Amino acid sequence: MDVEEGTVKLVSKEGDSFDVNIDVAKMSELVKSMIEDGGEDEEVADFPLPNVKANILAKVIEFCAHHKEEPMTEIEKPLKSQNMADVVQKWYADFVDLEQVVLFELILAANYMDIKPLLDLTCATVASMIKGKTPEEIRTTFNISNDFSPEEEAQVREENKWCEEA
Protein backbone atom coordinates (compact mmCIF):
# COMPACT_ATOMS: atom_id res chain seq x y z
CA MET A 1 0.00 0.00 0.00
CA ASP A 2 1.15 3.51 -0.76
CA VAL A 3 0.62 5.00 2.69
CA GLU A 4 1.24 8.58 1.58
CA GLU A 5 -1.45 8.51 -1.10
CA GLY A 6 -3.78 6.21 0.83
CA THR A 7 -4.39 3.83 -2.04
CA VAL A 8 -4.29 0.09 -2.52
CA LYS A 9 -4.26 -2.06 -5.63
CA LEU A 10 -7.16 -4.45 -6.10
CA VAL A 11 -6.41 -7.15 -8.64
CA SER A 12 -9.18 -8.82 -10.62
CA LYS A 13 -9.48 -12.44 -11.71
CA GLU A 14 -7.88 -11.51 -15.06
CA GLY A 15 -4.97 -9.74 -13.34
CA ASP A 16 -6.12 -6.17 -14.01
CA SER A 17 -5.06 -3.75 -11.25
CA PHE A 18 -7.23 -0.97 -9.91
CA ASP A 19 -5.78 1.79 -7.71
CA VAL A 20 -8.41 2.46 -5.07
CA ASN A 21 -8.57 4.91 -2.19
CA ILE A 22 -8.03 2.94 1.01
CA ASP A 23 -11.26 4.24 2.61
CA VAL A 24 -13.22 3.09 -0.45
CA ALA A 25 -11.46 -0.29 -0.50
CA LYS A 26 -12.20 -0.84 3.19
CA MET A 27 -15.93 -0.89 2.45
CA SER A 28 -15.15 -4.50 1.60
CA GLU A 29 -14.76 -6.42 4.85
CA LEU A 30 -12.57 -8.91 2.92
CA VAL A 31 -10.15 -6.22 1.75
CA LYS A 32 -10.28 -4.51 5.15
CA SER A 33 -9.22 -7.75 6.87
CA MET A 34 -6.44 -8.32 4.30
CA ILE A 35 -5.13 -4.81 4.98
CA GLU A 36 -5.31 -5.30 8.75
CA ASP A 37 -3.59 -8.69 8.46
CA GLY A 38 -0.35 -7.11 7.34
CA GLY A 39 -0.96 -5.50 3.98
CA GLU A 40 0.19 -2.12 5.25
CA ASP A 41 3.70 -3.39 5.96
CA GLU A 42 4.40 -4.05 2.30
CA GLU A 43 5.64 -1.19 0.15
CA VAL A 44 3.07 -1.83 -2.58
CA ALA A 45 0.30 -4.21 -1.63
CA ASP A 46 -1.70 -5.97 -4.30
CA PHE A 47 -4.90 -7.48 -3.02
CA PRO A 48 -5.94 -10.31 -5.33
CA LEU A 49 -9.66 -10.92 -5.80
CA PRO A 50 -9.62 -14.13 -7.86
CA ASN A 51 -13.42 -14.51 -7.80
CA VAL A 52 -14.15 -11.08 -9.29
CA LYS A 53 -13.90 -10.25 -13.00
CA ALA A 54 -12.39 -6.90 -14.01
CA ASN A 55 -15.62 -5.41 -15.38
CA ILE A 56 -17.47 -6.36 -12.19
CA LEU A 57 -14.66 -5.09 -9.95
CA ALA A 58 -14.85 -1.75 -11.76
CA LYS A 59 -18.59 -1.60 -10.96
CA VAL A 60 -17.94 -2.56 -7.32
CA ILE A 61 -15.35 0.22 -7.00
CA GLU A 62 -17.75 2.70 -8.65
CA PHE A 63 -20.45 1.74 -6.12
CA CYS A 64 -18.11 1.99 -3.12
CA ALA A 65 -16.69 5.35 -4.21
CA HIS A 66 -20.18 6.78 -4.68
CA HIS A 67 -21.39 5.28 -1.40
CA LYS A 68 -18.57 7.09 0.44
CA GLU A 69 -19.76 10.42 -1.04
CA GLU A 70 -23.53 9.80 -0.81
CA PRO A 71 -24.49 6.91 1.47
CA MET A 72 -27.44 4.87 0.30
CA THR A 73 -30.68 5.15 2.24
CA GLU A 74 -31.63 2.08 4.26
CA ILE A 75 -33.68 -0.36 2.19
CA GLU A 76 -37.01 -1.02 3.88
CA LYS A 77 -38.12 -4.62 4.15
CA PRO A 78 -40.44 -5.75 2.78
CA LEU A 79 -39.86 -3.67 -0.34
CA LYS A 80 -42.43 -0.92 -0.67
CA SER A 81 -42.25 -0.89 -4.47
CA GLN A 82 -41.15 -2.84 -7.52
CA ASN A 83 -39.50 0.35 -8.75
CA MET A 84 -36.02 0.69 -7.22
CA ALA A 85 -36.20 4.50 -7.64
CA ASP A 86 -38.93 4.44 -4.96
CA VAL A 87 -36.68 2.41 -2.65
CA VAL A 88 -33.27 4.13 -2.96
CA GLN A 89 -31.81 7.31 -4.43
CA LYS A 90 -31.85 7.69 -8.22
CA TRP A 91 -28.11 7.04 -8.66
CA TYR A 92 -28.40 3.67 -6.91
CA ALA A 93 -31.54 2.73 -8.84
CA ASP A 94 -29.77 3.57 -12.11
CA PHE A 95 -26.65 1.70 -10.97
CA VAL A 96 -28.55 -1.61 -10.70
CA ASP A 97 -30.48 -1.13 -13.95
CA LEU A 98 -28.35 -3.84 -15.56
CA GLU A 99 -28.52 -7.02 -17.56
CA GLN A 100 -29.37 -9.95 -15.30
CA VAL A 101 -26.02 -11.67 -15.80
CA VAL A 102 -24.14 -8.55 -14.64
CA LEU A 103 -26.53 -8.09 -11.71
CA PHE A 104 -25.96 -11.68 -10.57
CA GLU A 105 -22.18 -11.31 -10.91
CA LEU A 106 -22.41 -8.15 -8.77
CA ILE A 107 -24.32 -10.13 -6.14
CA LEU A 108 -21.59 -12.77 -6.11
CA ALA A 109 -18.85 -10.13 -5.90
CA ALA A 110 -20.62 -8.23 -3.11
CA ASN A 111 -21.04 -11.46 -1.19
CA TYR A 112 -17.43 -12.59 -1.76
CA MET A 113 -15.99 -9.17 -0.92
CA ASP A 114 -18.44 -8.76 1.98
CA ILE A 115 -19.88 -5.37 1.01
CA LYS A 116 -23.24 -5.28 2.79
CA PRO A 117 -24.75 -2.15 1.17
CA LEU A 118 -24.01 -3.48 -2.33
CA LEU A 119 -25.33 -6.93 -1.44
CA ASP A 120 -28.49 -5.36 0.02
CA LEU A 121 -29.01 -3.22 -3.11
CA THR A 122 -28.46 -6.01 -5.62
CA CYS A 123 -30.58 -8.53 -3.71
CA ALA A 124 -33.36 -5.96 -3.29
CA THR A 125 -33.23 -5.42 -7.05
CA VAL A 126 -33.77 -9.14 -7.65
CA ALA A 127 -36.57 -9.12 -5.06
CA SER A 128 -38.20 -6.21 -6.92
CA MET A 129 -38.06 -8.30 -10.10
CA ILE A 130 -40.01 -11.05 -8.31
CA LYS A 131 -42.42 -8.90 -6.28
CA GLY A 132 -46.04 -9.29 -7.37
CA LYS A 133 -45.36 -11.90 -10.06
CA THR A 134 -46.85 -15.32 -10.53
CA PRO A 135 -44.57 -18.36 -10.54
CA GLU A 136 -44.92 -18.50 -14.33
CA GLU A 137 -43.88 -14.85 -14.69
CA ILE A 138 -40.90 -15.43 -12.39
CA ARG A 139 -39.82 -18.44 -14.48
CA THR A 140 -40.02 -16.30 -17.61
CA THR A 141 -38.11 -13.40 -16.02
CA PHE A 142 -35.24 -15.60 -14.87
CA ASN A 143 -35.39 -18.18 -17.66
CA ILE A 144 -36.19 -21.04 -15.27
CA SER A 145 -37.67 -24.20 -16.71
CA ASN A 146 -40.61 -25.79 -14.93
CA ASP A 147 -39.56 -29.32 -14.03
CA PHE A 148 -42.83 -30.18 -12.29
CA SER A 149 -45.42 -32.33 -13.99
CA PRO A 150 -48.92 -30.75 -13.97
CA GLU A 151 -49.87 -33.17 -11.18
CA GLU A 152 -46.82 -32.29 -9.06
CA GLU A 153 -47.43 -28.58 -9.58
CA ALA A 154 -51.08 -28.94 -8.54
CA GLN A 155 -49.99 -30.81 -5.39
CA VAL A 156 -47.43 -28.13 -4.46
CA ARG A 157 -50.00 -25.37 -5.06
CA GLU A 158 -52.50 -27.20 -2.85
CA GLU A 159 -49.96 -27.71 -0.05
CA ASN A 160 -48.90 -24.05 -0.17
CA LYS A 161 -52.09 -22.23 -1.04
CA TRP A 162 -51.97 -20.47 2.33
CA CYS A 163 -49.07 -18.33 1.07
CA GLU A 164 -50.98 -17.21 -2.03
CA GLU A 165 -53.91 -16.06 0.11
CA ALA A 166 -51.81 -13.38 1.84
Side-chain angles (χ1 to χ4, degrees):
M1 175 178 76
D2 189 341
V3 179
E4 292 168 23
E5 292 182 26
T7 61
V8 293
K9 283 188 189 305
L10 302 182
V11 183
S12 71
K13 178 180 190 171
E14 300 87 346
D16 296 352
S17 286
F18 295 84
D19 289 325
V20 182
N21 179 294
I22 194 164
D23 291 332
V24 171
K26 281 185 170 182
M27 276 193 66
S28 163
E29 292 296 324
L30 173 68
V31 173
K32 183 178 177 182
S33 68
M34 288 193 290
I35 290 169
E36 290 170 356
D37 288 345
E40 294 186 41
D41 298 336
E42 301 172 27
E43 202 163 292
V44 176
D46 288 354
F47 296 98
L49 300 167
N51 295 358
V52 185
K53 294 178 185 171
N55 64 323
I56 300 301
L57 184 54
K59 295 284 293 174
V60 169
I61 294 165
E62 178 186 359
F63 172 88
C64 292
H66 187 84
H67 192 278
K68 281 289 179 192
E69 298 299 315
E70 179 194 5
M72 185 175 70
T73 55
E74 186 75 22
I75 297 174
E76 293 179 36
K77 297 169 190 93
L79 288 179
K80 61 183 178 185
S81 172
Q82 288 177 287
N83 182 356
M84 288 306 291
D86 296 337
V87 178
V88 292
Q89 298 101 309
K90 182 180 179 350
W91 187 91
Y92 292 101
D94 292 343
F95 179 81
V96 289
D97 187 14
L98 303 162
E99 292 178 29
Q100 273 186 29
V101 67
V102 175
L103 180 62
F104 291 136
E105 286 184 18
L106 264 178
I107 289 172
L108 293 173
N111 186 50
Y112 170 69
M113 294 177 70
D114 197 0
I115 305 171
K116 188 179 182 325
L118 180 55
L119 188 60
D120 287 348
L121 176 65
T122 51
C123 289
T125 302
V126 172
S128 75
M129 296 164 77
I130 293 171
K131 187 175 178 68
K133 292 189 175 170
T134 65
E136 292 77 23
E137 291 170 327
I138 294 168
R139 282 190 202 103
T140 301
T141 299
F142 296 107
N143 198 23
I144 300 169
S145 61
N146 183 0
D147 54 359
F148 285 122
S149 70
E151 296 79 23
E152 290 171 323
E153 189 167 344
Q155 179 184 353
V156 169
R157 284 187 189 279
E158 180 61 31
E159 291 171 356
N160 297 287
K161 71 178 175 185
W162 59 269
C163 69
E164 290 183 15
E165 293 168 359

